[in-house]
Amino acid sequence: MEMITFNAHYGYAEGLVRGYQMGLLGSQQYAALAQCETLDDLKMQLSATDYGNFLANEPSPLSTSTIAEKATGKMVQDFDYLRQNASGDLAKFLEYLTYSYMIDNVILLITGTLHERDTHELLQRCHPLGKFESMPALCVATTVEELYRSVLVETPLAPYFRDCLSASDLDDLNIEIIRNTLYKAYLEDFYDFCQKLGGPTAEAMTTLLAFEADRRVLNITLNSFGTSLSKEDRARLFPSIGRLFPAGNNVLARADDIDQVKAVCDYVPEYRAFFGDATASSDGDSPADGLEDKMFKEETRLNKIETINQFQFGAFYSWLKLKEQEIRSITWIAECIAQGVRDRISDFVNV
């Protein structure tokens, strides 16, 4: 889409997200947070940032969970304002960003139904970005069969369930297999949508969704070692996009140990650092230890690059991911303060 056309349709929304990006915490602000002695000190430091008085009505003593919850609420409020000012393809793009949260929420309700938990209580634990108007209708279901029928009728995720899963699958399959099956369908669908948009948005989202797909492939592979998941079933969970696709995925589908995973990652320069230089450390730790943090750092690096590029939708995706990482970092700092573990307080990802 040309610059003039883009601005006419989406200029205001892009201006909003650029403002949000400018409000992300900087190195000096992180350093100030890490110097705080108490959570009340942290609250005061955060009040001088874009978070403002988001904790003003919270009584002392503060808890880490309260800080994380209120910070997430601020992010959701900003995202909702973006959606209110989006139209056309951008509105659909932002809707796609909520689908991953919807998947996690529906999985939570499925788990609750399987274990005969009060699903109305579970609603309170659902991520606010993944809530949808008809969500309370899912709580009426008392069996997995009823829940499946409700999902097909009541949720935007209906196509993913209809094409990938049956009602009996919800009863028979491991819950993580169901989650990864839905994520595979979602990522491939989102990728196809971005390709249809074309231009800079397609270029940006190809990079970002490729990393998300590769991260899931690596995690599925590593988590399947020593389990009853067959190699054929493992392969079926891999998204058919990403830098590891298809050759790397084919190797990982047959992999038996972490050395083979490391060998595949060696072919992608940015992934080599995920496992370090050794296949095992002297104290017995796995080279996969710390893998999640390394992936978060790489995701942050990619998203920081995309916030620079203008006149494309990738900036909206990147802001949301960076904001999520920022909240994880604030929560980490808060937890270290609360637990008195100051020697690890700097082990966060600086957005």
Side-chain angles (χ1 to χ4, degrees):
M1 182 176 290
E2 294 181 4
M3 179 175 66
I4 296 175
T5 310
F6 187 95
N7 275 339
H9 289 92
Y10 314 118
Y12 180 66
E14 187 183 31
L16 286 174
V17 85
R18 295 292 169 195
Y20 293 165
Q21 288 165 8
M22 293 297 291
L24 291 168
L25 300 183
S27 296
Q28 290 183 334
Q29 291 164 315
Y30 278 119
L33 295 179
Q35 294 300 315
C36 293
E37 295 292 333
T38 68
L39 293 186
D40 282 327
D41 292 343
L42 189 79
K43 171 182 173 180
M44 187 173 68
Q45 286 290 344
L46 286 171
S47 69
T49 71
D50 269 25
Y51 284 96
N53 62 353
F54 78 120
L55 293 171
N57 297 322
E58 298 303 319
S60 295
L62 276 174
S63 68
T64 303
S65 59
T66 297
I67 294 172
E69 179 188 341
K70 295 301 178 181
T72 299
K74 175 73 166 61
M75 178 186 74
V76 172
Q77 183 181 348
D78 290 343
F79 184 80
D80 286 344
Y81 190 65
L82 274 179
R83 293 188 76 178
Q84 292 166 20
N85 288 279
S87 60
D89 288 336
L90 178 58
K92 184 64 177 176
F93 182 90
L94 295 180
E95 185 180 333
Y96 266 106
L97 297 189
T98 67
Y99 287 175
S100 61
Y101 303 98
M102 287 186 195
I103 289 172
D104 288 339
N105 286 350
V106 171
I107 289 294
L108 182 63
L109 295 179
I110 291 172
T111 306
T113 303
L114 284 171
H115 293 92
E116 298 181 349
R117 294 275 304 278
D118 180 0
T119 47
H120 290 86
E121 181 185 320
L122 293 176
L123 266 183
Q124 306 304 314
R125 292 173 49 198
C126 286
H127 196 290
L129 276 184
K131 291 184 177 179
F132 43 90
E133 190 177 342
S134 55
M135 201 167 187
L138 302 187
C139 296
V140 177
T142 55
T143 67
V144 172
E145 181 83 32
E146 289 176 8
L147 182 64
Y148 182 80
R149 286 200 299 269
S150 297
V151 168
L152 287 185
V153 174
E154 301 288 354
T155 81
L157 303 178
Y160 306 149
F161 274 86
R162 186 168 52 246
D163 296 342
C164 306
L165 296 164
S166 66
S168 60
D169 287 334
L170 302 194
D171 251 332
D172 299 337
L173 291 178
N174 177 292
I175 200 71
E176 287 306 311
I177 294 178
I178 297 170
R179 187 196 308 274
N180 284 309
T181 299
L182 294 172
Y183 261 100
K184 166 185 161 67
Y186 159 63
L187 284 175
E188 291 171 351
D189 184 33
F190 192 11
Y191 177 85
D192 288 342
F193 173 74
C194 293
Q195 294 307 302
K196 289 174 185 174
L197 292 177
T201 294
E203 292 175 22
M205 293 308 298
T206 293
T207 300
L208 298 173
L209 292 178
F211 175 76
E212 183 58 34
D214 289 345
R215 169 163 53 188
R216 300 198 74 81
V217 167
L218 292 172
N219 280 328
I220 290 167
T221 303
L222 293 169
N223 290 331
S224 67
F225 292 155
T227 71
S228 59
L229 185 69
S230 71
K231 293 179 179 179
E232 292 76 16
D233 287 338
R234 182 200 302 174
R236 279 194 281 270
L237 298 177
F238 291 171
S240 56
I241 59 173
R243 298 179 70 182
L244 298 177
F245 176 80
N249 283 16
N250 291 338
V251 175
L252 292 172
R254 301 188 300 272
D256 294 307
D257 56 49
I258 200 163
D259 288 339
Q260 291 170 283
V261 179
K262 182 176 179 293
V264 170
C265 287
D266 281 344
Y267 286 98
V268 182
E270 293 84 355
Y271 297 173
R272 285 176 193 157
F274 285 173
F275 297 98
D277 299 322
T279 54
S281 60
S282 57
D283 57 5
D285 288 340
S286 163
D289 289 345
L291 177 63
E292 186 176 34
D293 287 342
K294 291 174 183 176
M295 287 182 170
F296 279 141
K297 287 179 181 176
E298 175 60 15
E299 179 185 50
T300 298
R301 185 188 71 82
L302 291 172
N303 282 305
K304 283 164 73 173
I305 292 171
E306 289 309 326
T307 60
I308 300 169
N309 299 321
Q310 293 181 288
F311 313 118
Q312 47 95 10
F313 295 164
F316 295 86
Y317 177 98
S318 292
W319 165 75
L320 186 61
K321 292 295 182 181
L322 290 174
K323 195 67 180 177
E324 279 192 318
Q325 183 56 59
E326 179 178 274
I327 294 170
R328 278 192 291 268
S329 296
I330 291 172
T331 304
W332 174 267
I333 293 171
E335 192 62 36
C336 287
I337 293 170
Q339 299 292 334
V341 191
R342 302 205 65 85
D343 58 327
R344 296 197 61 195
I345 203 167
S346 296
D347 295 347
F348 60 86
V349 179
N350 187 334
V351 173

